[in-house]
Amino acid sequence: MEVSRGEDILVVMNRAATVTQVDAVLERVRALGVAPCIVPSPGQTVISAADQPITACDHLSKMPGVAEVLRVPPAYRLVSRESHPNSSVFRVAGTTIGGGGFTLISGPCSVENEEMLLQTANFLVARGVRLMRGGAFKPRTSPYSFQGLGLDGLEILARVKRQTGIGVVTEVLDAETVPQIEAVADVLQVGARSMQNYSLLRRLARSNKPILLKRGLAATLEEWLMAAEYLLSGGNQQVILCERGVRTFADHLRNTLDLAIVPVVQRLSHLPILVDPSHGTGDARCVPAMTLAALAAGADGVMIELHPDPARALSDGPQSLDFEGYARLHKQLNAMAGALGIELR
Ligand code: PEP
Ligand code: MN
């Protein structure tokens, strides 16, 4: 992969700088590689220079007529589409994420017991769904709520995976449990609450498993892409973004699903982007419409919560589809994907 590794800088000239001095700086920047550009700035010349070698700052600040040289934060250079014009595509558990198809990930919010997980996995496999979600370690708002089965939940995931062949997506809450989760999961999920847990991101950057990075509860696009940049810059190129709704003034649903971020992410980044209509709305009645909307918006797939008996779910029952609802939605998805010429995966 070809990436730019230099620094982006701004050269601020003295107000009294001469045309010759400005030209000399422009000449030097050009000689170092990337063409400079002059930033409009009243009464003063400011030169923007991208991808300069790290010695450029020192060099340029000593030139006549230069007031100061500022380093521009590198932003999300590895995540950006500029660094990687082709969309990233990842092979995982016999399916593909990114690059034009629509990948389905589905399953319960939490792994509750082996029977419900096996039942769900069989249901999904029968419909050609290759990836099942299910949390063993749950980030709950209340310490009194069900926290997940932990390592026992992981063992259940491992057994159901062995029996059915389905791929597993599960959340990793802390760096300590990464090895155990890596041993079972095909995709490691970073939850909304952990999006800015930088020590966890640094650890996951050393994993050879794809990371599903959910958008933080109130994260801007830039904060989200910068979190992804931690993973890529640390060595893990397999990052899948997941929009799961953000907190706004609107209180008619659990979150505000920001579907409009999908085309923006796709313009700015080469990483695949999924949509989670379950957490995005918090209401199973809204999930089918928002799933179809995600397909229409051009998302690379969805992650949907599914439970054999949502009324008895230990977490997120109100936003989980039951098998019947899921089957109905799957049929609609097939029809719509067919009409759009998009492959359902
Ligand atoms: C989940 O997927 O079950 C979950 C906890 O999601 P989020 O981190 O988006 O809240
Ligand atoms: Mn959930």
Side-chain angles (χ1 to χ4, degrees), residues 2 80 104 130 141 236 245 257 275 292 315 332:
E2 205 182 298
S80 75
L104 302 174
R130 300 292 316 139
T141 302
N236 193 340
L257 185 63
V275 170
L292 298 174
S315 60
Q332 293 175 321

Short mmCIF file of all heavy atoms in Angstrom, two decimals, residues 2 80 104 130 141 236 245 257 275 292 315 332:
data_model
loop_
_atom_site.label_atom_id
_atom_site.label_comp_id
_atom_site.label_asym_id
_atom_site.label_seq_id
_atom_site.Cartn_x
_atom_site.Cartn_y
_atom_site.Cartn_z
N GLU A 2 0.54 2.17 -0.88
CA GLU A 2 1.34 3.39 -0.92
C GLU A 2 0.69 4.42 0.00
O GLU A 2 -0.48 4.73 -0.13
CB GLU A 2 1.36 3.89 -2.34
CG GLU A 2 2.58 4.75 -2.64
CD GLU A 2 2.51 5.26 -4.05
OE1 GLU A 2 2.52 4.43 -4.96
OE2 GLU A 2 2.45 6.49 -4.21
N SER A 80 -7.57 7.73 5.14
CA SER A 80 -8.15 8.57 4.09
C SER A 80 -8.11 7.90 2.72
O SER A 80 -7.24 7.08 2.44
CB SER A 80 -7.40 9.90 4.02
OG SER A 80 -6.16 9.70 3.41
N LEU A 104 -24.37 -9.11 5.84
CA LEU A 104 -25.24 -9.18 7.01
C LEU A 104 -24.51 -9.80 8.19
O LEU A 104 -23.87 -10.86 8.07
CB LEU A 104 -26.47 -10.05 6.70
CG LEU A 104 -27.32 -9.58 5.52
CD1 LEU A 104 -28.43 -10.59 5.22
CD2 LEU A 104 -27.94 -8.22 5.84
N ARG A 130 -23.35 -15.40 7.09
CA ARG A 130 -22.06 -16.02 7.43
C ARG A 130 -21.48 -15.53 8.74
O ARG A 130 -20.51 -16.08 9.24
CB ARG A 130 -21.04 -15.74 6.30
CG ARG A 130 -21.42 -16.27 4.92
CD ARG A 130 -21.40 -17.79 4.87
NE ARG A 130 -20.20 -18.29 5.53
CZ ARG A 130 -20.16 -19.36 6.32
NH1 ARG A 130 -21.26 -20.05 6.56
NH2 ARG A 130 -19.05 -19.74 6.88
N THR A 141 -24.68 0.16 30.95
CA THR A 141 -24.73 1.46 31.62
C THR A 141 -24.82 1.29 33.13
O THR A 141 -24.20 2.01 33.89
CB THR A 141 -25.95 2.25 31.09
OG1 THR A 141 -25.79 2.37 29.68
CG2 THR A 141 -26.04 3.63 31.71
N ASN A 236 -2.72 -2.61 11.97
CA ASN A 236 -3.88 -3.41 11.56
C ASN A 236 -4.66 -2.66 10.48
O ASN A 236 -5.31 -1.65 10.74
CB ASN A 236 -4.78 -3.70 12.77
CG ASN A 236 -5.80 -4.76 12.47
OD1 ASN A 236 -6.10 -5.03 11.29
ND2 ASN A 236 -6.35 -5.38 13.50
N GLY A 245 -25.62 5.19 15.53
CA GLY A 245 -26.44 6.24 16.12
C GLY A 245 -25.66 7.04 17.14
O GLY A 245 -24.75 6.54 17.77
N LEU A 257 -29.91 7.77 14.38
CA LEU A 257 -29.11 7.03 13.40
C LEU A 257 -28.68 7.99 12.30
O LEU A 257 -29.51 8.56 11.60
CB LEU A 257 -29.93 5.86 12.83
CG LEU A 257 -29.18 4.93 11.88
CD1 LEU A 257 -28.03 4.22 12.59
CD2 LEU A 257 -30.14 3.89 11.30
N VAL A 275 -23.91 -0.36 9.11
CA VAL A 275 -24.89 0.38 9.91
C VAL A 275 -25.51 -0.58 10.91
O VAL A 275 -25.81 -1.73 10.58
CB VAL A 275 -25.97 1.00 8.99
CG1 VAL A 275 -27.12 1.56 9.80
CG2 VAL A 275 -25.36 2.09 8.11
N LEU A 292 -33.27 -1.27 5.36
CA LEU A 292 -33.45 -1.02 3.92
C LEU A 292 -32.86 0.35 3.56
O LEU A 292 -32.25 0.51 2.50
CB LEU A 292 -34.93 -1.08 3.55
CG LEU A 292 -35.61 -2.45 3.80
CD1 LEU A 292 -37.12 -2.35 3.54
CD2 LEU A 292 -35.00 -3.54 2.93
N SER A 315 -30.56 -8.61 27.46
CA SER A 315 -30.16 -7.24 27.11
C SER A 315 -30.74 -6.89 25.74
O SER A 315 -30.81 -7.73 24.85
CB SER A 315 -28.64 -7.08 27.11
OG SER A 315 -28.02 -7.94 26.17
N GLN A 332 -37.36 -8.83 2.03
CA GLN A 332 -37.38 -7.46 1.47
C GLN A 332 -35.99 -7.03 1.02
O GLN A 332 -35.81 -6.41 -0.02
CB GLN A 332 -37.92 -6.47 2.51
CG GLN A 332 -39.38 -6.68 2.85
CD GLN A 332 -39.82 -5.75 3.97
OE1 GLN A 332 -39.09 -5.51 4.93
NE2 GLN A 332 -41.03 -5.23 3.85
#
